[in-house]
Amino acid sequence: MNASTAYATLNNGVEMPWLGLGVYKAEDGAEVEQAVIKAIEAGYRSIDTASFYFNEEGVGSAIKKSGVAREELFITTKVWNDDQGYESTLRAFDQSMDKLGLDVLDLYLVHWPVEGKFKDTWKALETLYKAGKVRAIGVSNFNVTHLEELLKTAEIKPMVNQIEFHPYLLQEDLRKYCKEQGIQVEAWRPLTKGDIFSNPTVQEIANAHNKTPAQVLLRWNIEHEVVTIPKSVTESRIIENSEIFDFELTQEDIRKLDELNEDKRYGPDPETFDF
Ligand SMILES: NC(=O)c1ccc[n+]([C@@H]2O[C@H](COP(=O)([O-])OP(=O)(O)OC[C@H]3O[C@@H](n4cnc5c(N)ncnc54)[C@H](OP(=O)(O)O)[C@@H]3O)[C@@H](O)[C@H]2O)c1
């Protein structure tokens, strides 16, 4: 198995690669284009962008230049908070699709659970899904309470919840709830932007497997059945991050990494964010 053959199956039967390239903070134009092209060359088939990353055009142009058939790729984008609500989400979707240069999207996510709006936003995603404009719909940064609220009125269950996840933030209750509901969990900030690389436990496990800390962290996501989308614009790191399908962590490794949990967030808390 490798990056281009390892797929999770979503609750509607759509297959989503376990590994994707994140492009938050990759600059539109040459930087993001190069990163996406190098990733596709390295076997990545999934790209995670958002209107808020302001690089959908670069992602779209890289997809065209990559030479890989559109149906082999899995493209995710997200509706930003300012665009939430029914009509405005439909408009935001069209804008994202124009920038990406796509007819059909693979996954559209509600970026954050904006209070008083996310249920109308979800209705718009359901409309897009029913119209065949997007193959899967999901949410991001939704806690159990947000999901419970959404499911009271949702006609279609989210297929994915993209959340901050790494050994310092285990999110056990949320992952358990998602599993029970058939919602695939996807990790953002899986590498903690490198902050956790120097942790002795991570280093010890990396040495034991002759792998790098980044590879251990990403493999730990896979062992937890969490889709992962590390970001890099550096070719050697893009390749390094894809080489996670040729080894396995032991139960002991996984336990040790799980025990690093401190409920520590690098990003905003979905309960208190104010943007
Ligand atoms: N839904 C949300 O609210 C949300 C929030 C944040 C992120 N995300 C998504 O999740 C993706 C990943 O999260 P993230 O970008 O915040 O953080 P991350 O993937 O944990 O870390 C990315 C950083 O680590 C560096 N890096 C990557 N691979 C490395 C390696 N093998 N060795 C050393 N350093 C390495 C990158 O540097 P270089 O690029 O310079 O190589 C970059 O600075 C984002 O790009 C985005 O797509 C979603």
Side-chain angles (χ1 to χ4, degrees), residues 22-24 48 53 78 111-112 140-141 162 188-194 197 214 229-234 237 240-241:
V23 296
Y24 181 40
D48 181 86
Y53 303 168
K78 315 182 189 86
H111 209 145
W112 287 87
S140 178
N141 300 302
Q162 184 184 113
W188 63 257
R189 199 63 54 83
L191 303 175
T192 67
K193 290 193 172 176
F197 289 178
I229 46 168
K231 177 262 178 184
S232 180
V233 295
T234 313
R237 290 172 172 175
E240 174 187 332
N241 295 345

Side-chain angles (χ1 to χ4, degrees), residues 241-267:
N241 295 345
S242 74
E243 292 173 341
I244 57 169
F245 298 101
D246 56 356
F247 79 115
E248 285 175 6
L249 297 176
T250 65
Q251 288 306 311
E252 183 69 359
D253 296 333
I254 297 168
R255 189 186 58 75
K256 282 184 185 165
L257 291 166
D258 289 2
E259 280 176 358
L260 298 180
N261 182 43
E262 298 174 5
D263 294 333
K264 172 178 173 172
R265 290 179 187 277
Y266 290 86

Side-chain angles (χ1 to χ4, degrees), residues 127-153:
T127 298
L128 294 166
Y129 180 72
K130 287 186 205 158
K133 293 183 176 179
V134 51
R135 296 172 63 232
I137 51 177
V139 295
S140 178
N141 300 302
F142 275 48
N143 284 343
V144 173
T145 48
H146 301 120
L147 288 168
E148 282 172 345
E149 184 60 29
L150 185 71
L151 292 182
K152 279 185 197 161
T153 52

Side-chain angles (χ1 to χ4, degrees), residues 193-217:
K193 290 193 172 176
D195 190 54
I196 199 176
F197 289 178
S198 59
N199 180 285
T201 303
V202 174
Q203 295 228 329
E204 177 206 318
I205 295 170
N207 290 338
H209 291 278
N210 209 7
K211 286 284 179 180
T212 64
Q215 290 167 332
V216 165
L217 294 166

Side-chain angles (χ1 to χ4, degrees), residues 1-267:
M1 201 182 291
N2 57 45
S4 38
T5 58
Y7 288 86
T9 304
L10 305 181
N11 66 26
N12 65 343
V14 163
E15 299 212 304
M16 174 176 193
W18 283 110
L19 176 74
L21 180 77
V23 296
Y24 181 40
K25 303 268 187 195
E27 240 178 78
D28 201 17
E31 185 172 75
V32 79
E33 269 193 35
Q34 275 311 300
V36 171
I37 288 170
K38 293 295 174 195
I40 293 174
E41 278 173 17
Y44 291 65
R45 291 294 175 265
S46 166
I47 309 296
D48 181 86
T49 185
S51 61
F52 181 70
Y53 303 168
F54 302 103
N55 57 19
E56 289 170 312
E57 285 181 32
V59 170
S61 115
I63 292 169
K64 287 200 181 64
K65 287 182 187 166
S66 76
V68 169
R70 168 66 188 97
E71 55 275 19
E72 281 187 38
L73 299 173
F74 189 99
I75 310 301
T76 301
T77 194
K78 315 182 189 86
V79 53
W80 185 242
N81 301 352
D82 297 342
D83 291 320
Q84 287 204 32
Y86 185 81
E87 294 293 341
S88 43
T89 295
L90 295 178
R91 278 196 300 274
F93 178 80
D94 284 343
Q95 283 165 9
S96 284
M97 294 300 273
D98 279 350
K99 288 185 179 156
L100 287 163
L102 300 177
D103 300 326
V104 176
L105 186 70
D106 296 284
L107 178 62
Y108 200 37
L109 300 178
V110 181
H111 209 145
W112 287 87
V114 175
E115 231 22 84
K117 287 199 172 166
F118 68 74
K119 290 169 103 172
D120 287 338
T121 307
W122 187 251
K123 280 201 184 359
L125 266 61
E126 291 177 331
T127 298
L128 294 166
Y129 180 72
K130 287 186 205 158
K133 293 183 176 179
V134 51
R135 296 172 63 232
I137 51 177
V139 295
S140 178
N141 300 302
F142 275 48
N143 284 343
V144 173
T145 48
H146 301 120
L147 288 168
E148 282 172 345
E149 184 60 29
L150 185 71
L151 292 182
K152 279 185 197 161
T153 52
E155 271 182 67
I156 301 170
K157 247 188 208 178
M159 285 122 209
V160 171
N161 186 14
Q162 184 184 113
I163 57 172
E164 183 177 346
F165 179 64
H166 42 71
Y168 290 156
L169 184 66
L170 204 48
Q171 304 255 39
E172 252 175 319
D173 293 346
L174 179 53
R175 282 188 296 114
K176 183 165 173 280
Y177 179 82
C178 286
K179 196 171 175 82
E180 284 163 6
Q181 295 293 334
I183 300 169
Q184 175 64 52
V185 175
E186 179 178 21
W188 63 257
R189 199 63 54 83
L191 303 175
T192 67
K193 290 193 172 176
D195 190 54
I196 199 176
F197 289 178
S198 59
N199 180 285
T201 303
V202 174
Q203 295 228 329
E204 177 206 318
I205 295 170
N207 290 338
H209 291 278
N210 209 7
K211 286 284 179 180
T212 64
Q215 290 167 332
V216 165
L217 294 166
L218 299 173
R219 183 69 215 182
W220 176 82
N221 282 192
I222 308 293
E223 305 285 3
H224 276 301
E225 299 182 350
V226 171
V227 167
T228 193
I229 46 168
K231 177 262 178 184
S232 180
V233 295
T234 313
E235 184 176 7
S236 57
R237 290 172 172 175
I238 291 171
I239 294 169
E240 174 187 332
N241 295 345
S242 74
E243 292 173 341
I244 57 169
F245 298 101
D246 56 356
F247 79 115
E248 285 175 6
L249 297 176
T250 65
Q251 288 306 311
E252 183 69 359
D253 296 333
I254 297 168
R255 189 186 58 75
K256 282 184 185 165
L257 291 166
D258 289 2
E259 280 176 358
L260 298 180
N261 182 43
E262 298 174 5
D263 294 333
K264 172 178 173 172
R265 290 179 187 277
Y266 290 86

